[in-house]
Every structure is written in C-alpha cells, then in structure tokens.
C-alpha cells in the first residue's frame, strides 16, 4: 500500500497533461499511487492517461462519464488507499521535492494537514515560464508552527486553495469530508477547504512554495462568465455544515459572511455584464437576511468593498453599466439596434440594449469601422463592420458607443452620415 495517494482530476487537459504527470513521476518521494480521474474528456486526455499508465504501474486511470469536479473528486478520495492524500490539477505542475517535504512535516508533527505557499505561472512566448511567488498570508506568525484552526480563527483568512497541501486520509474519511456535487459548478474546492479547517486540530503552514498554479489556461471553468451562482452554492454548502453541527461560534459565522461577500465581489467582476444586475440583487437580499440572523460583519472589508456591498444594485447600475438613458422607450419602434463601437462603452450599451429589447421583435448587432480581417466579440456578440449593417439602415437605430464629443465620436458620426444612416443617438440618448 502506497503512503501517499495523489489525486489528479482530468477534463480536456491534453495540452498540459503530460507536463503535469511528468512532474509527479519526477518526485524524490516515490512511495505513492496516482489516481487519474478522466471526467468524460472529449480531447486526447484519455489516451495520454492510458499511455502513462502503461509506462508506470503507480498510475491508475478511471474513465467515467462527465459528472463535474465535485463528484469526480469524491470518487477519487473513496478510491485512495494511501495514509495521506495530495491533489494535483491536470494543468499544473509540482516541484520535485514537494511530497518528500510535506510527508516529512506531516509525519514528524502528526498533522491533520500541512499547507504551503505556491507559484502562479504563465507560459512565455519564447517557451520559458513566468513564475510569481504567492504567499498563504502576509502574517509571518502563522507559518512553521503547529496550530488548531478553530482556536486561531484568523487562519480561515489564509488562501483557500486545496492542492498546495498534504492531508491525512483519516481526517477526510472520519469526518465525512466531501466536495459539494453541484452539477456543472466551479469553485467546489471552497467547501472542501472549509471542512478540512473545521475538522482539523493540528495543522501547519510552510513559507515555501512547491506547487505551480497555471494562470493562462482559458479552458479553466473559473473563467466562465456564465457561472453566476457557483460561489453562492459553495457558501450555502459551508453554512449548512455549520448549522448541521450546531456551530455556536459567532465569530466563525462572521468570518464566513466576510468570505462570502469577498467571493461575491469576485463573481460580480467575472460574470457577463447582463447577469450582473440580478446577482447584485441577490447580494442585497442576502445582506438583509444575514443582518436578521446576526451573521453580518463588515469589519474586514475595505472602504471600496463596503461601498459596493452596501449598495450593490446602485453600484452595478450606475458605476459598472451606466448609460441609464438607453431604455426600452429609447429603442422602441426599431427592428434593429446597431451599437457602433465595441470597447467599454460598447459593452455597457450592449448590456442596456439586451435588457431593454423586446424578445423576438428586435435584434441587436455590434459594429466597428474596420475589423482588419480579425474576428471580434463584444459581450458575447459577434462584431461586424459597419458597412455590413447598411442593409438595415432604414429601420435601424444606431447608438454611437464612444465618449461624446471625442475625435472618434465625430469620425464615426461622419461615417454613419456618409453611409446613409438617419436614426442615430449618442450614449446619453441624444439624437444626432
């Protein structure tokens, strides 16, 4: 039986998978098994895994239908036989002495888990790798000593990644620690992170980095602008655990509220512009609810964060989207709405128009003067050249989506006049 089980969840990672597995097999610590969970990959990942399994008997490959990260990781944990469990994401790599170092600490100090700093990495065009050192915390007193997270609650503010660690398998099994299995969700390591802290009594944080966390994989689900409620699902999952275990610590509820709000701020910045108003209303409702349950704590938010959290709807409507004069009444009577400009103004106007359009009765196009042969999108919409839209000029409203009275504004207005468009307004809905 191997001392360490290394879990590798895989979904369409063939571009990076070889480097990931090579870094695991290069470990100076050799008494491990690798459980690779192919979660229904549609690229060449499955074949790559099978090839590596043929070359090294320590690798075990499980091919399964796609069910999402949470369920895949729960299966992997159930299959692990090692006394300790590590996690490596399929697009990341690890330094060769990672598991030897972590194993030495977890055994010497009888830890429930040991966790470390990590590197953020990017591929450079010349084939080299850019690396940035990321600390778990700026508080040096949290490092290199044994502590109990529930006696030192400040530890819950440390970085929440789960792969820069080695866990005692007994901790996970005895406390029924599982990932949230919300279908199609992201960020499901948040609930796992919380449970490992909640049920641990002896942990250590090392001010060394061994894990290389890739930042430039655009296929990563965390980049999805459509996954709105993944963070909410995770923090609801976390709160349910606390309630089910009759948790009485008021400060822990305060900490979790704070972490929830910070996660929501990240969500507001990540999701599609058209989805922001509704999510802002969710934040507003939840703040009101948690004020009633006395779980609210704003003490650790910055002034800028607090300004958004206290008035999320107003922040989205005024600061992020703006352009309030573009309303249903403004665009009424036109079959086609052409947004001329695909920059920041174009995105904001496109959002306003999408929210104001009559479904099925109006269409929207985003246009620029010249695409120079490239493909372009604005708020998920294909961008056209303005000359492609001339055929709609008689029943179209054109919104010049740049700063009013700028040089670009006058150039675009001249172009529209030359092409024969007659129904034109500015971002403030002023007729031109």
């Amino acid at each position: 039986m191997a001392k360490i089980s290394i879990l590798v969840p895989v979904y369409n990672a063939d571009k990076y998978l070889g480097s990931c597995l090579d870094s695991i097999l290069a470990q100076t610590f050799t008494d491990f098994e690798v459980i690779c969970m192919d979660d229904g990959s549609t690229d060449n990942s499955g074949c790559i895994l099978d090839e590596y399994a043929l070359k090294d008997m320590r690798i075990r490959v499980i091919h399964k239908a796609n069910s999402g990260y949470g369920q895949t990781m729960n299966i992997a944990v159930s299959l692990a036989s090692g006394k300790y469990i590590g996690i490596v994401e399929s697009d990341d790599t690890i330094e060769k002495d990672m598991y030897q170092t972590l194993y030495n600490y977890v055994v010497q100090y009888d830890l429930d888990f040991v966790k470390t700093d990590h590197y953020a990495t990017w591929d450079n065009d010349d084939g080299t790798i850019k690396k940035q050192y990321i600390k778990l915390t700026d508080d040096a007193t949290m490092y290199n000593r044994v502590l109990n997270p529930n006696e030192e609650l400040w530890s819950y503010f440390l970085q929440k990644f789960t792969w820069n660690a080695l866990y005692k398998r007994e901790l996970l099994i005895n406390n029924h620690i599982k990932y949230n299995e919300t279908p199609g969700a992201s960020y499901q390591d948040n609930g796992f992170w919380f449970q490992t802290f909640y049920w641990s009594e002896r942990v250590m944080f090392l001010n060394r980095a061994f894990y290389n966390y890739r930042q430039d994989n655009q296929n990563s689900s965390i980049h999805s602008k459509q996954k709105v409620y993944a963070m909410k699902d995770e923090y609801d999952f976390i709160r349910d655990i606390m309630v089910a275990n009759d948790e009485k610590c008021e400060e822990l509820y305060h900490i979790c509220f704070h972490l929830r709000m910070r996660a929501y701020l990240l969500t507001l910045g990540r999701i599609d512009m058209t989805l922001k108003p509704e999510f802002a209303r969710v934040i507003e409702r939840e703040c009101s609810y948690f004020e009633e349950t006395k779980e609210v704590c704003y003490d650790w938010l910055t002034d800028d964060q607090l300004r958004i959290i206290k008035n999320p709807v107003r922040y989205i409507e005024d600061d992020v989207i703006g352009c309030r004069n573009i309303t249903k009444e403004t665009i009424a009577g036109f079959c086609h709405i052409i947004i001329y400009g695909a920059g920041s103004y174009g995105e904001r106007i496109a959002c306003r128009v999408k929210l104001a359009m009559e479904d099925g009765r109006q269409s929207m196009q985003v246009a620029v003067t010249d695409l120079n042969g490239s493909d372009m999108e604005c708020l998920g919409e294909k961008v056209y050249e303005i000359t492609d839209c001339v055929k709609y000029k008689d029943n179209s409203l054109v919104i010049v989506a740049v700063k009013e009275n700028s040089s670009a504004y006058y150039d675009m207005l001249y172009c529209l006049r030359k092409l024969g468009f007659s129904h034109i307004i500015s971002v403030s809905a002023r007729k031109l």
Side-chain angles (χ1 to χ4, degrees):
M1 182 182 297
K3 289 186 172 70
I4 297 177
S5 296
I6 302 173
L7 314 182
V8 184
V10 180
Y11 179 71
N12 289 354
D14 59 2
K15 181 178 179 181
Y16 309 107
L17 189 52
S19 297
C20 172
L21 295 175
D22 287 343
S23 73
I24 294 173
L25 297 179
Q27 291 295 293
T28 56
F29 186 93
T30 59
D31 191 4
F32 60 78
E33 64 173 353
V34 186
I35 300 176
C36 298
M37 302 294 300
D38 177 17
D39 187 29
S41 295
T42 56
D43 64 1
N44 201 40
S45 294
C47 293
I48 294 173
L49 292 174
D50 290 339
E51 290 172 3
Y52 271 82
L54 288 174
K55 292 187 291 186
D56 196 309
M57 296 300 293
R58 293 173 298 179
I59 296 178
R60 180 182 178 187
V61 179
I62 309 297
H63 299 287
K64 55 183 285 295
N66 181 262
S67 61
Y69 187 89
Q71 187 185 72
T72 297
M73 287 301 291
N74 286 337
I75 294 172
V77 171
S78 71
L79 295 173
S81 61
K83 186 173 182 180
Y84 301 98
I85 289 179
I87 301 166
V88 181
E89 300 292 340
S90 56
D91 54 352
D92 299 333
T93 61
I94 55 178
E95 302 296 314
K96 64 181 181 180
D97 57 339
M98 174 170 169
Y99 284 119
Q100 183 66 69
T101 305
L102 270 57
Y103 179 81
N104 291 344
Y105 274 93
V106 81
V107 170
Q108 180 181 352
Y109 294 99
D110 189 26
L111 303 174
D112 292 314
F113 69 78
V114 58
K115 187 168 289 223
T116 74
D117 296 341
H118 71 276
Y119 295 105
T121 68
W122 298 260
D123 287 339
N124 292 322
D125 292 337
D126 61 2
T128 59
I129 298 175
K130 175 185 174 183
K131 298 178 73 168
Q132 179 184 354
Y133 193 98
I134 306 295
K135 296 179 181 179
L136 282 167
T137 175
D138 290 326
D139 184 355
T141 67
M142 299 297 290
Y143 284 111
N144 305 316
R145 63 184 178 87
V146 179
L147 61 89
N148 183 331
N150 296 294
E151 292 177 357
E152 299 188 50
L153 291 174
W154 190 252
S155 63
Y156 279 85
F157 285 98
L158 271 65
Q159 296 274 5
K160 294 167 201 58
F161 302 113
T162 57
W163 26 250
N164 53 338
L166 187 63
Y167 305 92
K168 186 180 290 185
R169 180 175 176 273
E170 187 178 79
L171 168 74
L172 308 184
I173 301 303
N174 290 352
N175 295 292
H176 308 289
I177 294 175
K178 292 184 178 296
Y179 288 82
N180 191 5
E181 295 189 359
T182 311
S186 302
Y187 306 98
Q188 291 171 315
D189 52 356
N190 280 254
F192 182 87
W193 155 81
F194 175 82
Q195 292 173 84
T196 58
F197 275 63
Y198 191 71
W199 294 112
S200 289
E201 296 180 354
R202 295 178 61 82
V203 309
M204 185 180 287
F205 307 109
L206 304 183
N207 57 347
R208 295 177 60 187
F210 304 92
Y211 194 97
N212 301 308
Y213 176 33
R214 180 174 294 280
Q215 304 295 296
D216 51 4
N217 180 6
Q218 292 305 309
N219 290 327
S220 175
S221 62
I222 66 171
H223 297 301
S224 172
K225 293 187 175 184
Q226 304 304 316
K227 294 187 176 182
V228 181
Y229 297 102
M231 282 296 198
K232 172 176 166 51
D233 291 339
E234 283 302 292
Y235 279 92
D236 286 347
F237 177 67
I238 288 169
R239 186 174 182 272
D240 288 345
I241 291 169
M242 294 170 65
V243 172
N245 287 281
D246 198 26
E247 178 57 59
K248 296 293 196 297
C249 180
E250 183 177 331
E251 187 175 0
L252 188 54
Y253 279 101
H254 289 169
I255 289 172
C256 287
F257 172 81
H258 169 80
L259 297 176
R260 179 191 288 261
M261 290 301 115
R262 280 177 51 183
Y264 285 4
L265 288 170
L266 289 174
T267 299
L268 269 181
R270 173 181 56 80
I271 59 177
D272 191 287
M273 185 100 57
T274 57
L275 302 174
K276 293 180 190 291
E278 177 55 34
F279 192 69
R281 288 189 283 272
V282 169
I283 296 175
E284 194 169 71
R285 289 195 297 268
E286 292 205 352
C287 284
S288 177
Y289 173 78
F290 288 124
E291 283 178 4
E292 293 179 6
T293 62
K294 303 189 185 306
E295 296 172 45
V296 162
C297 180
Y298 298 116
D299 294 350
W300 304 300
L301 294 173
T302 67
D303 289 343
D304 286 342
Q305 290 172 332
L306 189 58
R307 178 177 66 86
I308 298 170
I309 291 299
K310 284 295 189 78
N311 295 286
V313 175
R314 187 171 68 187
Y315 165 73
I316 293 298
E317 291 288 348
D318 293 343
D319 294 9
V320 177
I321 302 177
C323 307
R324 279 181 174 268
N325 290 326
I326 305 300
T327 64
K328 183 176 181 179
E329 289 71 28
T330 304
I331 66 174
F334 295 96
C335 296
H336 305 287
I337 314 300
I338 300 170
I339 299 163
Y340 189 18
S344 60
Y345 277 98
E347 286 192 348
R348 293 158 64 188
I349 295 297
C351 179
R352 282 289 178 210
V353 171
K354 281 188 174 185
L355 294 172
M357 279 195 310
E358 295 184 28
D359 291 341
R361 297 184 180 182
Q362 294 176 301
S363 64
M364 181 188 81
Q365 285 184 306
V366 182
V368 295
T369 303
D370 192 350
L371 286 168
N372 295 313
S374 63
D375 292 328
M376 186 177 179
E377 285 191 355
C378 175
L379 209 66
E381 299 290 330
K382 180 179 178 180
V383 176
Y384 298 85
E385 292 188 352
I386 191 63
T387 52
D388 295 330
C389 304
V390 171
K391 56 189 173 184
Y392 303 122
K393 65 181 181 181
D394 293 334
N395 54 3
S396 292
L397 174 69
V398 182
I399 306 173
V400 182
V402 295
K403 183 178 180 181
E404 292 188 40
N405 299 317
S406 64
S407 58
Y409 171 85
Y410 289 112
D411 288 343
M412 293 163 73
L413 187 57
Y414 173 77
C415 180
L416 290 171
R417 295 294 192 208
K418 185 177 179 181
L419 291 172
F421 288 94
S422 55
H423 305 292
I424 309 169
I425 63 173
S426 68
V427 294
S428 63
R430 182 166 61 92
K431 292 183 178 181
L432 303 174

